[in-house]
Amino acid sequence: MSIVNISLLLDMAADGFGDRVLVGRKAAGLTGRRVRRLSIGGARLIRSAEADSLVYLGVNGPAFPVALFAAARAGAALVPLSYRLGAGQLGQLLANHPRALGLAGPDEIETLRAAGLPALTFDDWLAAAGHGEDDEGEDDEPEAEPQAPAVLIYTSGTTSAPKGVLVHHANLLAYVFGTVEFDSAQETEAALVSVPPYHIAAVANAVTNLYAGRRTVVLEQFTPAEWLDLVRSEEISNALVVPTMLARIIDEADEAAQAGHARAAVPSLRALAYGGAPMPAAVIERALRRWPDVDFVNAYGLTETSSTIAVLGPDDHRAALASDDPAVRARLSSAGRPVPGLELVIRDASGGALPAGAAGRIWVRGDQVSGEYAGSGTAVDATGWFDTRDEGYLDEDGYLFIGGRADDTIIRGAENIAPAEIEDVLLAHPAVADAVVVGIPDEEWGQRIEAAVVLRGAAAVDQEQLRAHVRGKLRGSRTPDRIAIWAEIPRTETGKLVRRQALARLTSEPAGS
């Protein structure tokens, strides 16, 4: 192969793992060889349509990795879009890709056709890609160069309008080669992925599990009971969830254990990774005690960095849970340490590097970092550094603590306040299941602090009790002026707070509502 792109990973898997099933359920999944044959056929379909990109609209499933590698072979970028967006938002995004070929689920196919795109359902796509499968060698040379975009992923837009992030083949290859060993999984291993295809974690898991030789199983519509049942029936060894999912899974497992239901036990599960949003310490502590033999991993990353840039490993989790040292115990709330091949520094507002313990902006540098946006170019500086726009600090041993987005910072008087700090305290209250904190414009203070919480089950607690709880843990200046009780906090499907929606609702709601 003269030109290297992510197709190299599929070719290595197809050649190295024989007839091992690598995608889907163990009874009817796809081998690496079959995925390669389908991707070759899919690339031909993209070329025949003279498409410059491949739009994917629908749930995750076997069609997704085929689409990813077919686009790579055809020299096109894969553009996975959220099927949960409204027609207006989808129309605006689709207008950015007038020369795309579209793939969609049966419920979404008309949306693509209405936008004027030639489009196929996932089933029709796989069937058409399978024609001529025996001609594996023909047109097998991928066209995309390493610096070409492999995927274009629109950010979730939790604080602003979505931006299209370009992740290049070279970025993904650097991430895979730096974090995964080829053929490192046992043939019996299987990974359960519960994130949608338009999230960078779905792309990262598709390529890393394939490269390791681990079968990937997708849970299309998450419920905690179905997740637990699927872990047992598919003998899942590895899993990926977002924090809100883990909280619900542990609740379900606790209830099952109390009822004597077998669902509470997950004998095949060896490792569980979580990320995408902050993990409340109380939730991960419950999970560690519920499943002490499972290796828990916290992965922090961004779309712009091809997924994970810092990891809190299993030994770190167990050491923190067992420690009486507050500094070590606090690491349960950290994102761990940078992955190999990636540099990370904390900088102040003028760009100067800060010492351990000092909070500032998180900057990263490495081959896996893209930092490029469609239509607006790169955000990487001349020396290769990228501003994540996340606030945080490193402790004395290099563990990274995330303080939240810089845009989220509340400025009350002359004091900068990270909402995440107050949210963590609220979430530590036994009656609170979820929480959000925002800054509301205020004539006297510049901003005042307001919060909303979701109560756990039938818990009964009022605003003043919650304010007293916060005041007992933090300074009075960080106690919310008002705490509303809601049925639900606005979040994306991957668990990220949509803070602008919470801000709009709290701003419009009168006090006492």
Side-chain angles (χ1 to χ4, degrees):
M1 186 179 301
S2 60
I3 297 176
V4 177
N5 67 27
I6 62 169
S7 293
L8 171 67
L9 307 176
L10 176 56
D11 288 336
M12 292 177 69
D15 293 338
F17 303 131
D19 293 325
R20 185 187 304 186
V21 173
L22 295 178
V23 174
R25 307 296 171 95
K26 56 188 176 183
L30 303 177
T31 65
R33 288 176 180 170
R34 183 84 196 285
V35 174
R36 177 166 62 181
R37 289 196 295 268
L38 290 171
S39 74
I40 293 169
R44 292 173 185 155
L45 294 174
I46 297 169
R47 293 190 194 106
S48 66
E50 298 182 346
D52 63 357
S53 55
L54 184 64
V55 167
Y56 186 103
L57 183 64
V59 298
N60 209 336
F64 180 67
V66 173
L68 175 64
F69 290 108
R73 289 186 183 277
L78 180 67
V79 186
L81 298 178
S82 172
Y83 52 90
R84 297 181 183 274
L85 293 176
Q89 290 174 296
L90 271 175
Q92 291 175 0
L93 297 182
L94 289 170
N96 296 333
H97 306 282
R99 293 181 52 211
L101 173 64
L103 306 179
D107 295 332
E108 294 84 20
I109 190 69
E110 291 306 320
T111 299
L112 297 184
R113 290 170 178 164
L117 297 186
L120 297 167
T121 65
F122 297 146
D123 288 344
D124 289 345
W125 153 260
L126 290 173
H131 287 310
E133 285 185 39
D134 294 336
D135 301 328
E136 185 172 336
E138 185 180 345
D139 293 332
D140 195 19
E141 187 76 11
E143 293 188 356
E145 296 186 8
Q147 293 306 323
V151 292
L152 189 160
I153 296 179
Y154 287 94
T155 60
S156 56
T158 57
T159 59
S160 60
K163 292 187 292 186
V165 180
L166 296 167
V167 182
H168 304 271
H169 291 273
N171 303 136
L172 287 172
L173 288 171
Y175 171 65
V176 173
F177 294 152
T179 59
V180 183
E181 183 180 346
F182 179 68
D183 196 13
S184 55
Q186 299 295 318
E187 188 170 353
T188 55
E189 290 186 27
L192 179 57
V193 177
S194 304
V195 294
Y198 47 85
H199 192 279
I200 187 61
V203 175
N205 270 265
V207 293
T208 55
N209 284 316
L210 189 85
Y211 187 68
R214 184 180 297 113
R215 179 169 57 95
T216 300
V217 180
V218 171
L219 180 58
E220 296 177 358
Q221 301 294 333
F222 172 82
T223 69
E226 188 172 354
W227 189 94
L228 287 166
D229 289 343
L230 196 56
V231 167
R232 292 176 63 85
S233 64
E234 286 293 317
E235 299 178 292
I236 297 298
S237 59
N238 300 63
L240 169 68
V241 297
V242 298
T244 52
M245 291 178 182
L246 184 58
R248 294 177 61 192
I249 289 167
I250 297 303
D251 284 344
E252 181 73 23
D254 285 347
E255 292 178 11
Q258 292 172 5
H261 197 291
R263 178 181 289 154
V266 286
S268 63
L269 192 63
R270 295 290 175 266
L272 192 150
Y274 61 90
M279 170 65 77
V283 173
I284 191 60
E285 286 181 14
R286 288 178 61 208
L288 285 162
R289 292 190 172 98
R290 163 57 59 192
W291 295 325
D293 296 328
V294 173
D295 289 343
F296 285 87
V297 175
N298 182 9
Y300 161 68
L302 298 85
T303 306
E304 292 91 336
T305 62
S306 309
S307 192
T308 307
I309 57 176
V311 168
L312 186 74
D315 291 342
D316 293 321
H317 280 81
R318 294 190 176 101
L321 185 66
S323 180
D324 294 326
D325 183 341
V328 176
R329 183 81 176 191
R331 288 175 187 162
L332 271 184
S333 298
S334 83
R337 290 185 274 200
V339 300
L342 187 123
E343 298 175 79
L344 187 149
V345 66
I346 308 298
R347 293 181 175 177
D348 61 22
S350 62
L354 291 169
R361 195 76 70 87
I362 302 168
W363 289 71
V364 294
R365 179 169 67 177
D367 289 340
Q368 73 180 69
V369 177
S370 165
E372 182 177 349
Y373 302 96
S376 58
T378 183
V380 176
D381 71 14
T383 58
W385 287 97
F386 173 71
D387 179 3
T388 68
R389 300 194 64 78
D390 280 340
E391 299 280 341
Y393 70 91
L394 293 165
D395 72 8
E396 293 289 345
D397 294 312
Y399 287 83
L400 175 66
F401 289 77
I402 311 297
R405 299 294 287 177
D407 296 340
D408 298 338
T409 300
I410 299 169
I411 303 176
R412 185 182 186 275
E415 186 177 9
N416 287 5
I417 299 169
E421 180 184 18
I422 305 170
E423 288 162 359
D424 285 346
V425 173
L426 285 169
L427 289 166
H429 192 288
V432 176
D434 203 358
V436 60
V437 174
V438 300
I440 303 291
D442 184 86
E443 290 185 4
E444 179 180 2
W445 293 100
Q447 286 182 306
R448 65 181 182 274
I449 304 170
E450 295 200 5
V453 299
V454 175
L455 299 183
R456 188 180 301 280
V461 65
D462 62 26
Q463 169 182 245
E464 291 309 314
Q465 289 172 309
L466 291 173
R467 293 182 72 244
H469 168 74
V470 175
R471 193 179 301 111
K473 302 289 184 181
L474 301 173
R475 296 198 300 274
S477 62
R478 301 187 178 216
T479 300
D481 297 283
R482 177 169 69 116
I483 301 178
I485 296 175
W486 292 351
E488 185 178 29
I489 299 294
R491 290 184 178 272
T492 69
E493 295 85 355
T494 55
K496 288 185 179 180
L497 284 170
V498 187
R499 206 176 292 274
R500 56 190 168 85
Q501 291 184 13
L503 173 62
R505 180 173 172 183
L506 282 167
T507 302
S508 65
E509 285 182 349
S513 62

